[in-house]
Amino acid sequence: MWNWIHRLASPKRFYHFAGSASRWFGIAALLFGLPGLYLALFNSPPDYQQGESVRIMYVHVPAAWLSMFVYVNMAVAATVGMVWRIKVASAVAHASAPIGAWFTFLALATGSLWGKPMWGTWWIWDARLTSELILLFLYLGYIALHNAIEDRDTAARATAVLALVGVVNIPIIHYSVEWWNTLHQGATVTKLDRPSIHWSMLVPLLMMAISFTTLYAAVVLRRVRCEILDRERRSGWVRELAGKADV
């Protein structure tokens, strides 16, 4: 297992692995996303309190979950790249940032759409919403810092430090509804006891969560392939690939 992971640290090996893996993740995203979306929109019942607006949950919750998951993945990859000087790990971190920013924006946008009929306002400085907004700023700060530094290795180290510092915001987002008195509802799925959500809603929600996760995997692998080609453009194997593409 460790030998396989060590071999993937090679940009050339990871490039070929990412090509095939991204296709399978993309197929999985469709296989889970299309039926999940159908069940969410047409088969799941309306909530007894929220009515039809509960259907926003099937996009909002997976997007919010991915906003945190991608950031943690980005921070871990950035740390691995900084400590062990693994180029592929730094490429994964850099490729993850824009994707995580879009998931965070989607979570905030759909949360506002849900908040208007439920709370009577598009936005409120609730602990969960505010900490999620800070997460978006962390993503944008990561992207801006990376683009501001010309030297690639220096940029990787600087953004890795920023990513590590920002990790402290992840538990704040997750536990904000428990630590403070907020308008945002508490956890209904990730609980120690049984989830307080009916299976007719739980199944499409989990399917959408899997679809969003595999979609992230497919997109980030494609972006990493482009990043590897850019970093290794002077190496022999990339020139060989370019030569085959010209034929």
Side-chain angles (χ1 to χ4, degrees), residues 47 49-58 60-61 106-124 126 129 183-186:
D47 186 74
Q49 287 182 325
Q50 303 177 34
E52 297 293 344
S53 62
V54 73
R55 302 189 191 283
I56 300 175
M57 168 186 71
Y58 299 106
H60 172 72
V61 173
L106 181 60
L108 290 168
T110 53
S112 295
L113 291 174
W114 179 86
K116 181 60 176 178
M118 293 299 104
W119 298 341
T121 181
W122 297 104
W123 179 265
I124 189 171
D126 180 88
L129 274 66
L183 290 176
H184 199 285
Q185 70 184 62

Side-chain angles (χ1 to χ4, degrees), residues 100-213:
W102 276 111
F103 277 124
T104 308
F105 175 79
L106 181 60
L108 290 168
T110 53
S112 295
L113 291 174
W114 179 86
K116 181 60 176 178
M118 293 299 104
W119 298 341
T121 181
W122 297 104
W123 179 265
I124 189 171
W125 293 102
D126 180 88
R128 172 64 65 83
L129 274 66
T130 303
S131 54
E132 186 75 9
L133 180 62
I134 292 174
L135 181 63
L136 177 60
F137 291 153
L138 286 169
Y139 275 120
L140 296 179
Y142 182 102
I143 297 170
L145 181 60
H146 192 280
N147 293 336
I149 302 175
E150 292 185 5
D151 183 72
R152 200 186 299 270
D153 294 333
T154 304
R157 290 193 295 270
T159 51
V161 173
L162 175 61
L164 279 174
V165 172
V167 167
V168 70
N169 190 49
I170 302 302
I172 293 176
I173 296 174
H174 182 72
Y175 293 107
S176 58
V177 293
E178 300 178 14
W179 292 346
W180 294 285
N181 184 20
T182 69
L183 290 176
H184 199 285
Q185 70 184 62
T188 56
V189 178
T190 56
K191 298 168 60 177
L192 294 178
D193 54 354
R194 294 178 59 186
S196 54
I197 180 174
H198 194 264
W199 67 268
S200 60
M201 294 181 175
L202 180 61
V203 169
L205 181 59
L206 292 178
M207 292 181 71
M208 291 299 292
I210 295 173
S211 177
F212 273 49
T213 305

